[in-house]
Amino acid sequence: MSDEEDILALTEDNLDAARRYTYEVWWSEEDRAFLARAEELIGVQSHGATPEEALAMTTEAAAGMIVVLGELNREIPAPTGTRRLIDTRAIQFAAPAPLTKEQVRAVRVQLGVSQAVFAQALGVDAGTVRSWE
């Protein structure tokens, strides 16, 4: 399988479903970038040079997670329906605590997949998942 075949082909329906989730966006001084996360989808987080870019990248990651969970016949967390408009120019955001190795493993175990499959779904090397756990 080529690298191009490994990439999820997201549809507009996938992205629309992902847009229903709650997203938090904040500035990370350490990363010198805006970070965003999907509150209902554990581990779905990305970054960008602007809040809009971080949100767009995270929405795509959420859509990918929804597709993978569906393909694995796993429960897809329901969106809470919470909508928040955050003025990132007026608020200082604290980065959420990074996931512990126990939390990373718990997510993978909940999905019922191996480290290799988990790594492929996240688009990282299996060694990266091993180092996280």
Side-chain angles (χ1 to χ4, degrees):
M1 192 182 307
S2 73
D3 288 340
E4 290 178 19
E5 292 176 280
D6 288 341
I7 297 172
L8 289 174
L10 298 177
T11 66
E12 195 57 39
D13 287 342
N14 300 138
L15 292 168
D16 284 342
R19 290 182 187 112
R20 294 184 181 104
Y21 288 86
T22 305
Y23 294 90
E24 181 179 13
V25 180
W26 69 96
W27 172 255
S28 169
E29 192 62 41
E30 178 182 347
D31 298 305
R32 303 291 304 151
F34 285 93
L35 303 180
R37 71 180 181 99
E39 291 186 10
E40 300 92 341
L41 298 169
I42 296 172
V44 174
Q45 181 172 312
S46 193
H47 67 281
T50 65
E52 295 80 12
E53 184 179 305
L55 181 58
M57 297 295 289
T58 305
T59 302
E60 287 182 20
M65 177 65 86
I66 292 166
V67 169
V68 169
L69 289 172
E71 288 177 354
L72 295 173
N73 294 318
R74 302 293 182 201
E75 182 179 344
I76 299 170
T80 62
T82 304
R83 288 284 184 202
R84 290 185 283 176
L85 181 58
I86 301 171
D87 182 353
T88 57
R89 296 165 296 181
I91 301 172
Q92 292 292 321
F93 294 96
L99 295 177
T100 65
K101 63 182 179 181
E102 292 82 11
Q103 290 170 318
V104 171
R105 186 172 192 285
V107 169
R108 182 182 60 76
V109 169
Q110 180 183 5
L111 292 172
V113 297
S114 67
Q115 288 179 338
V117 171
F118 192 56
Q120 184 178 12
L122 295 174
V124 299
D125 185 79
T128 300
V129 172
R130 280 193 297 277
S131 72
W132 291 343
E133 291 186 11

